[in-house]
Amino acid sequence: MESFDAVIIGAGAAGLFCAGMAGQRGLKVLLLDHATKVAEKIRISGGGRCNFTNRDATPVQFLSDNPHYCRSALARYTPADFITLMQRHGIDFHEKHRGQLFCDRSSEDVITMLLAECDAGGVVRRHGCGVRQVRHGSGGYELDTAQGVVNAPQVVVATGGLPIPQIGATDFGLRLAEQFGHRLVTPRPALVPLTFDASQWAPFVTLSGLALPVRISTGKGRGGGDFLEDLLFTHRGLSGPGVLQISSYWQPGQPIRIDLAPGQDVAALLTQAKLGSRRQLGNELAQLLPTRLADTWLAQQGLPAQRPMPDCRDKDLQTLGQRLQQWSLVPAGTEGWKKAEVMAGGVDTRQLSSQTMESQQQPGLYFIGEVVDVTGWLGGYNFQWAWASAAACARAL
Ligand code: FDA
């Protein structure tokens, strides 16, 4: 039986980074992945340019049932640390929007860098090598892999979340956690488009492809989210950055609230316009909203777009403004794991050390990255969690 100091299961963002760091600390590390092509999620991320971190990442941008858990790891491995690593490897990048950093060339640069870090640490990599079983045994843990039995005193689970099963996502890490007595926070798709019942959505289908900036919120207090971001109408519902952000907070049955004209007082502007404008209602509303949306909205409210402004009743204008700025609707569901960018929920952090990511139940067993119940906003935060949790673990191995 081959022996290692640590076996890391999953060669994605967290697993590759952890392996490189641990190897460079002098440990004999085995990194396993059942996929033949590693780091597929890095490859497809950020439209192929990998939004690899967010310059402004703080614990505020992360969701978890145990909200303070992520603080320690995020404080000890920061966006600036990862930027320094990128610079050391000569990888050019740029800031796109609100602190989001993307590769200038391709996400392949990040993968090449992580593999080079693994090589520098002498990491043994086995791809296309699934793990059938993990059990207590000689030297700590024994693993039945597709290429034989190995053992190690330390096992790191970095198998990611459930999104995009077609490129290798599995529930292996979640099942392993349960096998070793860990609780799970129920996994659910996050950063995912929201869908509506066909009949409820019928009036808006023609708006498919339309995008506009909105204020969008759901829930209240700690469990609630509130974003000023773009929204995109789709054939089945709503997408775009604002909706993806809110989807991570949304609970089935809950309404979402949308202000379609943020920063404006539509009722006051229309009432004022009535006094001086000879335009028709549809044209006046199209000064405040995209024309297609203005027309669809008026039709849906039963208000004639051709009505001259002076003929509009104040009460109708008030109601129109209020409904546009406090649009409340209950999604039927989400587009699910096939379209989700991350998994919310996962291994309950109340049974893990926030300093090292080690299990409090099973010494030598670690969980890092997306398999853990820590979920970042859209914008590079999920990779920052992968790097930070991997670093916390690698320092402790
Ligand atoms: P990750 O999924 O990266 O790796 C898990 C690895 O484990 C995979 O290689 C898998 O094959 C392997 N594995 C699974 N089961 C196994 C088993 N049974 N045995 C062996 N190996 C197994 N985030 C961000 O910050 N910026 C961005 O731009 C994007 N963009 C983006 C786009 C899309 C389309 C998606 C789906 C996701 C993103 N993300 C993102 C999220 C980001 O990709 C994600 O949070 C990280 O990759 C998580 O890193 P992990 O290492 O935890 O899992």
Side-chain angles (χ1 to χ4, degrees), residues 194 196 200-201 204 215-220 231 238 250 253-260 297 300-301 319-332:
L194 297 172
F196 295 85
Q200 186 190 2
W201 203 244
F204 304 107
R215 172 154 225 134
I216 181 164
S217 61
T218 193
K220 286 200 183 84
L231 166 147
L238 293 171
W250 180 72
Q254 238 181 19
I256 59 170
R257 297 174 294 276
I258 302 173
D259 177 353
L260 289 163
W297 194 269
Q300 223 250 336
Q301 300 290 312
T319 309
L320 177 61
Q322 196 190 29
R323 292 201 178 146
L324 267 170
Q325 300 205 264
Q326 293 173 35
W327 190 21
S328 176
L329 59 177
V330 181

Side-chain angles (χ1 to χ4, degrees), residues 35-377:
T36 44
K37 221 169 160 194
V38 295
E40 270 299 86
K41 284 207 181 149
I42 299 180
R43 196 165 279 111
I44 62 171
S45 67
R49 293 245 168 108
C50 186
N51 176 195
F52 57 84
T53 192
N54 192 299
R55 214 188 269 285
D56 307 322
T58 69
V60 170
Q61 293 97 12
F62 293 85
L63 290 80
S64 171
D65 258 22
N66 184 13
H68 296 301
Y69 177 81
C70 62
R71 282 179 180 277
S72 167
L74 290 172
R76 286 182 300 130
Y77 192 87
T78 65
D81 292 323
F82 198 78
I83 290 168
T84 303
L85 181 67
M86 295 278 286
Q87 287 166 335
R88 191 150 56 73
H89 283 259
I91 302 175
D92 294 327
F93 57 87
H94 59 280
E95 182 171 337
K96 219 174 181 177
H97 175 64
R98 297 185 185 170
Q100 300 169 9
L101 302 185
F102 288 76
C103 297
D104 281 358
R105 213 183 64 83
S106 157
S107 33
E108 212 63 56
D109 288 346
V110 174
I111 301 173
T112 306
M113 174 182 84
L114 295 173
L115 291 173
E117 289 289 308
C118 283
D119 290 346
V123 173
V124 178
R125 289 193 279 119
R126 293 191 185 146
H127 307 154
C129 180
V131 180
R132 294 193 194 102
Q133 206 201 5
V134 181
R135 57 181 174 271
H136 288 299
S138 58
Y141 294 92
E142 282 180 5
L143 293 86
D144 286 339
T145 82
Q147 296 176 27
V149 183
V150 297
N151 72 2
Q154 309 185 92
V155 171
V156 181
V157 182
T159 48
L162 297 175
I164 328 256
Q166 58 273 36
I167 58 164
T170 70
D171 65 353
F172 178 86
L174 300 174
R175 282 190 284 114
L176 193 75
E178 287 190 310
Q179 176 196 329
F180 283 101
H182 278 266
R183 283 189 303 270
L184 301 183
V185 175
T186 307
R188 60 178 204 281
L191 298 182
V192 64
L194 297 172
T195 57
F196 295 85
D197 288 335
S199 58
Q200 186 190 2
W201 203 244
F204 304 107
V205 168
T206 53
L207 294 177
S208 179
L210 180 83
L212 76 162
V214 300
R215 172 154 225 134
I216 181 164
S217 61
T218 193
K220 286 200 183 84
R222 215 186 70 190
D226 187 349
F227 295 88
L228 197 57
E229 286 270 15
D230 278 6
L231 166 147
L232 173 71
F233 284 86
T234 72
H235 279 291
R236 285 160 48 85
L238 293 171
S239 187
V243 172
L244 298 186
Q245 299 282 32
I246 216 69
S247 72
S248 300
Y249 291 88
W250 180 72
Q251 301 288 344
Q254 238 181 19
I256 59 170
R257 297 174 294 276
I258 302 173
D259 177 353
L260 289 163
Q264 310 190 73
D265 184 341
V266 174
L269 288 168
L270 290 178
T271 314
Q272 204 182 359
K274 182 185 156 171
L275 302 175
S277 167
R278 306 195 65 78
R279 285 197 189 105
Q280 296 175 338
L281 176 58
N283 293 338
E284 196 62 52
L285 193 58
Q287 304 294 307
L288 307 173
L289 295 176
T291 309
R292 270 207 293 160
L293 176 58
D295 289 347
T296 303
W297 194 269
L298 288 175
Q300 223 250 336
Q301 300 290 312
L303 289 171
Q306 298 79 11
R307 181 175 288 166
M309 282 306 290
D311 297 347
C312 293
R313 294 191 307 170
D314 282 357
K315 190 164 160 280
D316 288 342
L317 297 179
Q318 295 289 339
T319 309
L320 177 61
Q322 196 190 29
R323 292 201 178 146
L324 267 170
Q325 300 205 264
Q326 293 173 35
W327 190 21
S328 176
L329 59 177
V330 181
T334 75
E335 291 280 6
W337 295 116
K338 276 191 185 160
K339 292 281 172 70
E341 226 170 78
V342 283
M343 173 177 83
V347 178
D348 192 332
T349 59
R350 284 163 286 222
Q351 292 172 306
L352 302 176
S353 157
S354 63
Q355 303 293 309
T356 64
M357 312 287 129
E358 188 177 14
S359 162
Q360 288 165 356
Q361 325 282 108
Q362 307 286 342
L365 183 64
Y366 297 78
F367 294 90
I368 60 174
E370 195 179 319
V371 73
V372 176
D373 172 36
V374 174
T375 308
W377 286 1

